[in-house]
Amino acid sequence: MLQLNFNNRFVSELPGDDSGIAKSRQTKGVCWSAVSPTRVARPALLAYSGEVLRILDLSDEDAQSASFLSAFSGNSLLPGMNSYAACYGGHQFGNWAGQLGDGRAIALGEVINRSGERWELQLKGAGITPYSRNADGRAVLRSSVREFLCSEAMHHLGIPTTRALSLITSGETVMRDMLYDGNPGLEPGAIVCRVAPSFIRFGNFEILASRSEHQLLQQLIEFTITRDFPEIDLKSNNYIESWFRLICERTARLVVEWLRVGFVHGVMNTDNMSIIGLTIDYGPYGWIDNFDPGWTPNTTDEDYRRYTLAQQPAVARWNLERLADALATVAPSRAVLDGGLAHFDSTFQTQLSTMLAAKFGLLKWTDEDADLVESVFDLMQRAEVDMTEFFRRLADIKQSAPDLNQLRNSFYREALYRNHSELFNTWLARYAVRLSAQQDTDEARKSRMNRVNPRFILRNYLAQQAIEAATAGDTSQINKLMAAARHPYDDNIPAELTAKRPDWAINKPGCSMLSCSS
Ligand code: AMP
Ligand code: MG
């Protein structure tokens, strides 16, 4: 039997509905509902993350044990686990959606590891909860592979994220209308165990404010600060203000990191926003291939275009405003929270310029650099240049002899390369002048740039290939992607994992656009 040391503060310090009944309902006056995972027929371990295993002080042998498979498929609870689904609400696509809650996520408990860190374990796809509404509480293999791989890829890119311990197939099928076109079909089911210091979302606070449960909201705020924000002093008389400011800061930093690597979350609803600033709820996310600020991977967002690459900062701020509205119902005034929003704006601006300077190899950002950077982003968009490839190639440019040929492989279309080469040459000359204005060498610049511009990203088509292979029982592609994802800035990644999106992937479901069906 696996030995984990549980200390379940969320359920022991906050009120919950402990009836254990999974029937869909509104759960007023509580932060959680006790619920057990529903057993699955034939669980099989497809993959696990060695790093997350070690965070939990578990060994590879543990991961292969019957006890691991049983616990992380939801077939049994380990001693000390106290499973529950959290109650939260959210603004979806700009509208208040009322109670949402963990409809298919079931938290198992909070582990304290040997270093004294707290890590909560949560199964996604483990069966119905009081928040499942009419859905089945399950997850399909394709979305589980995507969540498993992307959580780990993001972590190794250095971006705050929930982690993934395990990917287990259930041996059962799940009915989904993948393309939302009226043709549902059976798909293999799977369960991911995700791991994070806290799974609390903006929506956990919003639901209580919307119900005027002010005392409980106050209690949840104090709980969250005590457990998840040791740097905030609850005894100071402006703690809500300082806490909200920190949330704003972390959210701003997170969004800048997404922009750095070309990650588009796809569903930035307030229920998918982590209070501690992690990337959370991997659904129809996507990675930028040809640079396009107006790209959204989410088919549901095709018309609104609310969650495109470039909209992410504005949406993050909008979401923080909704959180501020909720917190204002117990804060001394709404005005004390406005400082946090202003702090979001300034943090975003400074972090953005620091990030862009690093991406372009500039030692220091100056005001004129904005135009230099914007003009090449504009060119990249018009000429359909691959973002990841472009920045790795840009690191090779010699400041004394800039040569556009070195960037050639970042172009998808020969004709667009030819049509835009004059403009790119002009830009490169300007870039070279800018580089020579700083005390630097080509080698030093290249090594700095290659530490912020990844060689490997989890391109949409790569994840899709891994899904198709895994569906046919072959997990080798998942393992290859995991291996590359561990060293995303290294040069020696297998060429087939760094290749630009092939043409066949442009309109293939899963490779370009994704529905929320998961
Ligand atoms: P999402 O768009 O995945 O963030 O989900 C929005 C809400 O729908 C959350 O409350 C989810 O828990 C719930 N939900 C999504 N898929 C399912 C499902 N298959 N079964 C039950 N609830 C779900
Ligand atoms: Mg969600």
Side-chain angles (χ1 to χ4, degrees):
M1 179 81 78
L2 295 183
Q3 296 285 334
L4 290 167
N5 173 26
F6 286 97
N7 173 275
N8 304 323
R9 291 185 68 175
F10 194 86
V11 288
S12 60
E13 296 177 26
L14 293 166
D17 168 353
D18 55 13
S19 68
I21 301 165
K23 184 183 167 332
S24 283
R25 60 189 184 274
Q26 295 287 314
T27 59
K28 300 217 170 105
V30 297
C31 290
W32 53 271
S33 294
V35 63
S36 297
T38 306
R39 290 182 62 89
V40 294
R42 284 179 316 281
L45 180 66
L46 276 202
Y48 64 87
S49 156
E51 291 84 3
V52 180
L53 209 57
R54 285 184 283 281
I55 287 178
L56 300 173
D57 307 317
L58 295 175
S59 64
D60 291 277
E61 204 182 340
D62 290 328
Q64 303 296 344
S65 69
S67 158
F68 185 95
L69 185 64
S70 178
F72 299 114
S73 61
N75 276 359
S76 65
L77 294 176
L78 292 171
M81 282 181 172
N82 206 334
S83 59
Y84 73 92
C87 178
Y88 54 80
H91 280 84
Q92 298 185 313
F93 293 93
N95 303 303
W96 175 242
Q99 177 182 293
L100 297 166
D102 287 331
R104 56 158 160 189
I106 298 183
L108 300 173
E110 303 162 40
V111 171
I112 308 292
N113 69 7
R114 275 191 226 123
S115 320
E117 298 164 344
R118 178 176 301 271
W119 291 94
E120 184 153 31
L121 308 180
Q122 189 181 79
L123 299 182
K124 188 165 174 182
I128 57 166
T129 80
Y131 311 103
S132 299
R133 293 170 283 168
N134 293 321
D136 58 9
R138 293 298 186 190
V140 291
L141 178 60
R142 64 184 151 79
S143 68
S144 306
V145 169
R146 283 168 52 84
E147 171 136 17
F148 177 79
L149 287 175
C150 201
S151 318
E152 291 307 288
M154 289 292 262
H155 168 75
H156 292 288
L157 282 164
I159 302 177
T161 177
T162 59
R163 305 292 302 272
L165 171 66
S166 54
L167 169 63
I168 293 176
T169 45
S170 62
E172 296 178 356
T173 52
V174 178
M175 182 72 86
R176 288 289 183 276
D177 185 357
M178 183 175 98
L179 302 173
Y180 287 159
D181 62 358
N183 290 304
L186 290 175
E187 296 188 44
I191 296 151
V192 167
C193 177
R194 19 183 221 189
V195 179
S198 170
F199 285 99
I200 299 176
R201 304 143 188 271
F202 291 8
N204 294 70
F205 303 90
E206 290 179 277
I207 188 71
L208 303 181
S210 80
R211 289 173 171 165
S212 300
E213 294 174 356
H214 297 139
Q215 207 184 324
L216 185 52
L217 174 58
Q218 181 66 38
Q219 193 182 343
L220 179 64
I221 293 170
E222 289 176 16
F223 171 83
T224 306
I225 293 176
T226 311
R227 194 191 65 172
D228 299 334
F229 290 84
E231 55 275 74
I232 302 294
D233 180 7
L234 260 189
K235 288 189 287 299
S236 90
N237 49 22
N238 61 349
Y239 70 86
I240 290 199
E241 190 180 340
S242 346
W243 174 56
F244 182 64
R245 191 182 151 91
L246 194 51
I247 297 166
C248 289
E249 176 165 333
R250 290 198 191 166
T251 306
R253 288 175 182 273
L254 178 66
V255 170
V256 170
E257 286 289 83
W258 289 353
L259 299 180
R260 172 169 68 86
V261 297
F263 174 79
V264 188
H265 182 286
V267 209
M268 287 177 71
N269 293 332
T270 55
D271 51 305
N272 293 337
M273 297 290 292
S274 150
I275 204 75
I276 60 170
L278 305 177
T279 313
I280 192 172
D281 274 14
Y282 292 91
Y285 67 82
W287 296 80
I288 291 287
D289 291 310
N290 56 298
F291 182 74
D292 180 1
W295 183 70
T296 169
N298 183 352
T299 48
T300 311
D301 195 31
E302 229 168 345
D303 298 331
Y304 317 95
R305 310 202 79 72
R306 184 179 173 85
Y307 298 143
T308 61
L309 176 71
Q311 282 292 327
Q312 297 186 116
V315 172
R317 194 191 200 276
W318 190 90
N319 290 342
L320 286 162
E321 289 164 19
R322 302 294 74 76
L323 177 62
D325 294 343
L327 301 181
T329 63
V330 295
S333 71
R334 166 68 207 234
V336 302
L337 301 168
D338 288 342
L341 295 170
H343 186 59
F344 172 87
D345 298 337
S346 57
T347 306
F348 176 72
Q349 280 313 326
T350 30
Q351 291 304 310
L352 181 69
S353 42
T354 305
M355 178 276 278
L356 288 172
K359 261 187 111 53
F360 283 84
L362 309 177
L363 289 167
K364 195 171 173 293
W365 181 260
T366 65
D367 287 346
E368 297 88 81
D369 292 327
D371 186 64
L372 180 78
V373 161
E374 273 159 32
S375 55
V376 81
F377 277 132
D378 180 51
L379 279 179
M380 286 165 72
Q381 181 182 359
R382 280 158 48 196
E384 295 180 18
V385 169
D386 186 83
M387 179 178 173
T388 305
E389 187 65 16
F390 177 83
F391 282 101
R392 286 300 278 211
R393 302 270 161 174
L394 192 65
D396 292 330
I397 293 289
K398 303 268 168 284
Q399 62 179 39
S400 58
D403 178 4
L404 183 56
N405 224 351
Q406 289 185 286
L407 301 180
R408 197 179 184 120
N409 193 53
S410 60
F411 287 76
Y412 278 94
R413 317 249 164 261
E414 183 58 27
L416 288 173
Y417 175 75
R418 266 186 277 114
N419 294 348
H420 293 85
S421 56
E422 207 175 305
L423 290 167
F424 269 98
N425 272 319
T426 310
W427 182 83
L428 262 189
R430 191 177 158 199
Y431 178 57
V433 170
R434 171 65 182 86
L435 293 181
S436 25
Q438 59 186 16
Q439 287 291 335
D440 199 10
T441 62
D442 284 331
E443 295 70 46
R445 189 186 82 252
K446 176 174 174 163
S447 93
R448 286 197 317 274
M449 287 173 76
N450 285 353
R451 287 198 294 271
V452 294
N453 296 317
R455 169 77 286 190
F456 173 81
I457 56 164
L458 185 65
R459 290 182 189 268
N460 314 312
Y461 83 90
L462 292 172
Q464 183 61 25
Q465 287 175 327
I467 290 164
E468 286 169 18
T471 307
D474 169 10
T475 53
S476 61
Q477 188 72 4
I478 293 182
N479 296 333
K480 272 190 210 158
L481 291 176
M482 279 289 274
R486 287 194 173 99
H487 309 283
Y489 300 98
D490 280 11
D491 262 328
N492 53 358
I493 309 257
E496 75 265 22
L497 303 184
T498 59
K500 303 197 296 288
R501 176 204 57 219
D503 278 351
W504 58 256
I506 295 179
N507 294 313
K508 188 173 152 71
C511 296
S512 49
M513 295 286 276
L514 296 121
S515 75
C516 288
S517 149
S518 58

